[in-house]
Amino acid sequence: AKGCVGPLAIANNAERDVTLVLDENLLKCEGGIHSHPLRNDASTVLTAAQLREYLDKLGVEPVVVDFPQKGGDDGEDKGKKAEQWAGKPPASRPKTDDSGGGKKAKPKIPKKEKKDKKDGAPKAVNKDKKQVKKGETLLALQWKKEENFPMWYSDVIVLSEMISYYDISGCYILRPWSYKMWELIQEWFNAEIRKLDVENSYFPLFVSQDRLEKEKDHVEGFAPEVAWVTKSGDGDLNKPIAVRPTSETIMYPAFSDWIKSHRDLPLKLNQWSNVVRWEFKDPTPFLRTREFLWQEGHTAHES
């Protein structure tokens, strides 16, 4: 299939003009090998023996290469290989947050001692940057999980074209590859809830201060995370308006208006929306963000 470059895709090469190159360690691994099954929106797992059997049936003899591992063995070779694999993260790290109290989203990494030219002290090393060797690309992962987990995670989600960083800390751009996952979830979930006679609806993003204060008990846990709109253009609003941290205070007053007797029950609604929760430290894409996509179902029943 177009764009699929996994080893299984060699089956599509009818002209036999493509050489399949495999890492020797891949054929020696005892665990599962993950690969796209001729399409890029799915994955499958097979063993090294199954991969070899698959290639034998196709009549494909791969070129097996012993790729060097990062770090090397010891001595000069280790230093040379470390330099060879050097690079830098493919995406800029989240900058200082101008809208959230000036907190930095980037995890703090301890630095080595600085080396002064005069007194011979060791020079500072930034663990979040790697030196780029001339002529090398930055298309592969530059970090190992065990050496710098935050940078490895950033590399993975950026190089896989799932996320792009944005200039507001805690907010991220979902690229088509990651948003497709959300669409697939919606497609499956919508089909299931329709079987239960649940209907989709949409309620406003904003909630008045009065409504929020009426439901103090419900929103108490969200209070530190509520984002407020206080200005319109150059002027101040008469009352601040909250950006929804959740939708109960928006939806339930409407339920009260719509439901007049038992004949109006049950009421089963679902909403696909976005939610904003502002106050926290160290945002992380997909795991802890200030704005995130949201699904919530609300129903009312006779008993």
Side-chain angles (χ1 to χ4, degrees):
K2 184 177 181 180
C4 183
V5 293
L8 303 183
I10 197 68
N12 294 327
N13 182 223
E15 295 80 7
R16 298 298 180 93
D17 56 353
V18 173
T19 300
L20 176 63
V21 180
L22 295 178
D23 188 341
E24 183 180 24
N25 292 321
L26 193 67
L27 297 177
K28 291 180 179 179
C29 76
E30 298 179 357
I33 300 172
H34 294 255
S35 177
H36 292 308
L38 306 185
R39 48 189 291 185
N40 283 345
D41 59 351
S43 294
T44 189
V45 182
L46 64 163
T47 64
Q50 289 171 330
L51 176 58
R52 172 61 75 176
E53 181 182 359
Y54 175 81
L55 297 176
D56 289 343
K57 288 184 177 179
L58 292 176
V60 174
E61 184 61 34
V63 175
V64 180
V65 178
D66 182 13
F67 288 105
Q69 293 188 0
K70 184 180 177 182
D73 299 317
D74 53 17
E76 292 186 11
D77 289 340
K78 183 175 181 179
K80 289 179 180 179
K81 288 183 178 180
E83 182 182 358
Q84 174 186 355
W85 286 81
K88 66 179 181 179
S92 58
R93 306 301 297 155
K95 299 179 181 178
T96 301
D97 181 11
D98 296 330
S99 52
K103 299 172 183 175
K104 289 187 177 181
K106 181 173 70 176
K108 296 180 180 178
I109 305 297
K111 295 181 178 180
K112 293 183 179 179
E113 298 178 0
K114 291 185 177 181
K115 182 178 181 181
D116 189 37
K117 293 182 180 180
K118 295 182 179 180
D119 58 19
K123 188 178 180 180
V125 176
N126 187 341
K127 290 188 177 181
D128 284 352
K129 290 186 178 181
K130 287 193 174 184
Q131 298 302 315
V132 182
K133 188 176 180 181
K134 186 176 181 180
E136 288 186 351
T137 68
L138 298 174
L139 300 179
L141 291 176
Q142 304 300 312
W143 299 91
K144 281 189 175 181
K145 186 191 300 185
E146 58 270 18
E147 69 178 0
N148 191 325
F149 183 86
M151 297 300 289
W152 169 84
Y153 181 74
S154 176
D155 270 5
V156 169
I157 61 176
V158 172
L159 286 171
S160 61
E161 298 184 355
M162 299 179 71
I163 280 285
S164 282
Y165 283 94
Y166 193 57
D167 62 355
I168 298 178
S169 176
C171 299
Y172 306 94
I173 299 170
L174 297 179
R175 299 186 64 176
W177 183 239
S178 58
Y179 196 80
K180 179 64 176 180
M181 298 178 188
W182 181 240
E183 289 180 323
L184 292 173
I185 292 171
Q186 288 180 307
E187 290 173 10
W188 180 87
F189 198 84
N190 279 330
E192 294 299 313
I193 62 176
R194 287 190 190 105
K195 298 175 185 177
L196 303 174
D197 296 323
V198 176
E199 297 179 296
N200 279 315
S201 59
Y202 185 81
F203 288 77
L205 172 67
F206 302 108
V207 53
S208 67
Q209 186 176 18
D210 292 340
R211 282 197 177 185
L212 211 58
E213 289 178 348
K214 286 181 182 178
E215 298 288 342
K216 281 185 178 180
D217 292 339
H218 179 77
V219 299
E220 183 177 359
F222 299 124
E225 302 176 350
V226 175
W228 293 92
V229 179
T230 59
K231 297 181 70 67
S232 173
D234 296 331
D236 295 330
L237 298 179
N238 293 329
K239 289 185 178 181
I241 298 174
V243 183
R244 73 171 155 233
T246 185
S247 295
E248 283 81 354
T249 57
I250 303 172
M251 299 176 75
Y252 290 171
F255 277 30
S256 179
D257 289 339
W258 299 341
I259 301 171
K260 300 303 182 183
S261 74
H262 66 89
R263 295 181 181 84
D264 298 319
L265 299 173
L267 178 61
K268 305 176 184 179
L269 296 181
N270 178 69
Q271 176 175 235
W272 299 98
S273 62
N274 60 336
V275 165
V276 174
R277 297 180 185 175
W278 201 259
E279 291 298 329
F280 59 80
K281 297 179 181 179
D282 299 331
T284 305
F286 295 123
L287 301 178
R288 192 169 177 82
T289 62
R290 287 195 167 126
E291 180 193 7
F292 50 94
L293 298 177
W294 181 260
Q295 174 275 325
E296 55 183 321
H298 297 268
T299 64
H301 302 268
E302 186 175 353
S303 61

